[in-house]
Amino acid sequence: MKVIIALLSVVGSASAFTPLRSHSSLRARAVTRMSEELAAEEPAAKEPVAETVPEEPAAPSGEGRALVVQNKGGGHGELGYHLCLTLADKYGLEVTMVHDGGPDAKTGKEPWDSYKNLEAAGVEIVWADLGAGMPSLTGEFEFVFDNWSKDADLAKPYVEAAKSWGVSNYVFVSSAGMYSGKGSLKESDDVKETGQRAVEKMLADQGLPWTSFRPQYIYGPYTNKRDYLDFFFNRAARNMPIPCPEGGEQGLCCTNAEDVAALLATPVANPAAVGEVFNCGTNEIVTYNKLIAMVGDCTGTKPEISYVDKDKAKELKFPFRPNPEGFYVDVSKAKKTLGWSPTHSLAEDLTEYYDGFKKLKLGEGEFAGP
């Protein structure tokens, strides 16, 4: 199997995960061997009866290997870390992560400082300037996980390589930000013509197996974009009023990065993912008012809520959509088709998140605003 995850780097070797096609190949070889043995037992005067065995599709030459193409940071910055571990530990794949921001390795920030855990799991990390082109890779891959491309031009070299390798799936990490609607959002809803949407269209036109996931509002271990929750903790820890738009009863979907990675990896063992788009989130929908109350429980305060209109909320850099209807994804398709369910709860995770907030001393000193 082959895996590509915007972090390029994989070493070919026998994996614990056995592709479905490998089982049929083994059966074919077994039938052939039995035919030969039976033929050898026939008297010399008799003509052996040749048994025709259906020809199996050729397995990818990079079988059992995955390539992860990883961006240098931002809202999806920690996904490469969690995805690589999932692919290596759960699915037994040889994983190579090609990481933007090279050629020198980055340090001094998460998730980079925890990449030693990936190396301990056998993941190869290749640092490169991905904007300068696709770096040279050793061997081929069965799966590609693209967590880097923001438009079709950036994705094109990886898509072309995937076609030449005969991948089992090209998994693209898109974005729920492309939805043009409001409220609860399904995969069939209207979208804007963003660069990520252009990548989805290109994948569909290329005739290779592909799957696209649209994540929304990610938090959790080793995150390097803390804005979503720090907006509230920064104020609650200082007993400051917390701005909230349009009454605060809008629905919100915040998802732990480990749950996101688990969903991104499902196409490895599930052919039903091919040719499909899936929302990537959680089924735990909370309101802005509820989130503020949960933050207050963690900090031991009772935050005052300052309700503002959506324009003022934007001015104050409120981290979520300020419209009255809310903006959150429906994940029922992923649960039904892929058999996936989130294992984390925002309410339970906030206490751990706040512990990390305090260790970083983010609640101390003068408030930086806005």
Side-chain angles (χ1 to χ4, degrees):
M1 287 190 164
K2 229 177 182 183
V3 178
I4 299 179
I5 311 175
L7 300 172
L8 299 173
S9 155
V10 174
V11 178
S13 72
S15 72
F17 177 77
T18 303
L20 297 177
R21 279 180 295 188
S22 296
H23 293 304
S24 57
S25 298
L26 289 172
R27 289 196 298 270
R29 288 196 292 272
V31 171
T32 302
R33 186 167 60 251
M34 290 173 63
S35 298
E36 293 172 347
E37 292 172 354
L38 288 171
E41 294 174 2
E42 290 288 333
K46 291 186 178 181
E47 188 76 22
V49 178
E51 181 171 343
T52 302
V53 179
E55 198 172 306
E56 291 292 327
S61 57
E63 186 175 358
R65 303 184 74 211
L67 174 64
V68 175
V69 184
Q70 176 61 34
N71 63 20
K72 68 178 69 175
H76 297 174
E78 69 273 39
L79 292 185
Y81 173 88
H82 296 292
L83 178 58
C84 287
L85 280 182
T86 300
L87 294 172
D89 292 346
K90 181 176 180 179
Y91 294 95
L93 295 172
E94 288 186 28
V95 182
T96 294
M97 180 170 71
V98 174
H99 207 303
D100 190 28
D104 297 328
K106 301 288 187 182
T107 59
K109 189 177 181 180
E110 293 293 1
W112 307 330
D113 289 348
S114 295
Y115 281 175
K116 59 182 180 292
N117 298 331
L118 298 183
E119 294 169 343
V123 175
E124 180 185 0
I125 303 173
V126 177
W127 288 89
D129 178 4
L130 299 186
M134 179 177 172
S136 59
L137 301 172
T138 301
E140 300 183 352
F141 299 87
E142 185 179 359
F143 295 95
V144 172
F145 294 84
D146 185 349
N147 187 35
W148 177 70
S149 299
K150 299 302 180 187
D151 58 53
D153 287 340
L154 294 176
K156 187 175 180 180
Y158 299 99
V159 172
E160 291 177 343
K163 289 186 70 174
S164 71
W165 297 331
V167 298
S168 293
N169 203 320
Y170 188 108
V171 179
F172 178 56
V173 184
S174 186
S175 172
M178 69 173 64
Y179 287 113
S180 56
K182 300 173 182 177
S184 178
L185 302 161
K186 294 181 178 293
E187 292 86 351
S188 57
D189 288 343
D190 292 340
V191 296
K192 296 174 283 189
E193 292 301 320
T194 65
Q196 287 142 325
R197 178 57 181 154
V199 175
E200 292 180 348
K201 288 182 174 181
M202 179 179 68
L203 291 172
D205 292 341
Q206 288 296 311
L208 82 167
W210 64 277
T211 304
S212 181
F213 291 96
R214 296 172 180 171
Q216 180 184 45
Y217 301 144
I218 302 169
Y219 72 93
Y222 310 118
T223 183
N224 59 15
K225 184 177 180 179
R226 304 184 57 93
D227 302 2
Y228 297 137
L229 298 179
D230 281 5
F231 178 91
F232 304 96
F233 279 111
N234 271 324
R235 291 166 171 80
R238 295 174 171 85
N239 287 305
M240 295 175 58
I242 298 179
C244 183
E246 306 292 344
E249 287 302 304
Q250 303 92 319
L252 170 66
C253 173
C254 275
T255 312
N256 191 293
E258 291 179 345
D259 283 336
V260 175
L263 179 53
L264 295 178
T266 55
V268 171
N270 197 331
V274 173
E276 298 289 343
V277 173
F278 296 95
N279 284 336
C280 192
T282 178
N283 52 4
E284 181 188 16
I285 308 301
V286 300
T287 65
Y288 298 164
N289 287 333
K290 177 63 175 176
L291 174 60
I292 293 172
M294 291 191 296
V295 168
D297 290 340
C298 290
T299 58
T301 62
K302 292 184 178 181
E304 175 189 347
I305 301 178
S306 175
Y307 292 111
V308 298
D309 62 33
K310 62 181 181 181
D311 292 332
K312 183 64 174 179
K314 290 179 181 178
E315 180 184 331
L316 295 172
K317 300 187 183 303
F318 188 77
F320 308 118
R321 298 288 178 98
N323 55 282
E325 302 86 353
F327 184 83
Y328 54 96
V329 296
D330 182 309
V331 296
S332 56
K333 179 180 177 181
K335 295 179 68 176
K336 180 179 179 180
T337 306
L338 302 176
W340 166 88
S341 290
T343 60
H344 287 268
S345 165
L346 177 62
E348 296 173 357
D349 289 346
L350 282 178
T351 299
E352 183 177 352
Y353 186 94
Y354 183 51
D355 288 341
F357 178 91
K358 290 187 291 184
K359 287 180 181 178
L360 294 172
K361 299 181 178 181
L362 298 178
E364 301 177 9
E366 186 175 350
F367 179 66

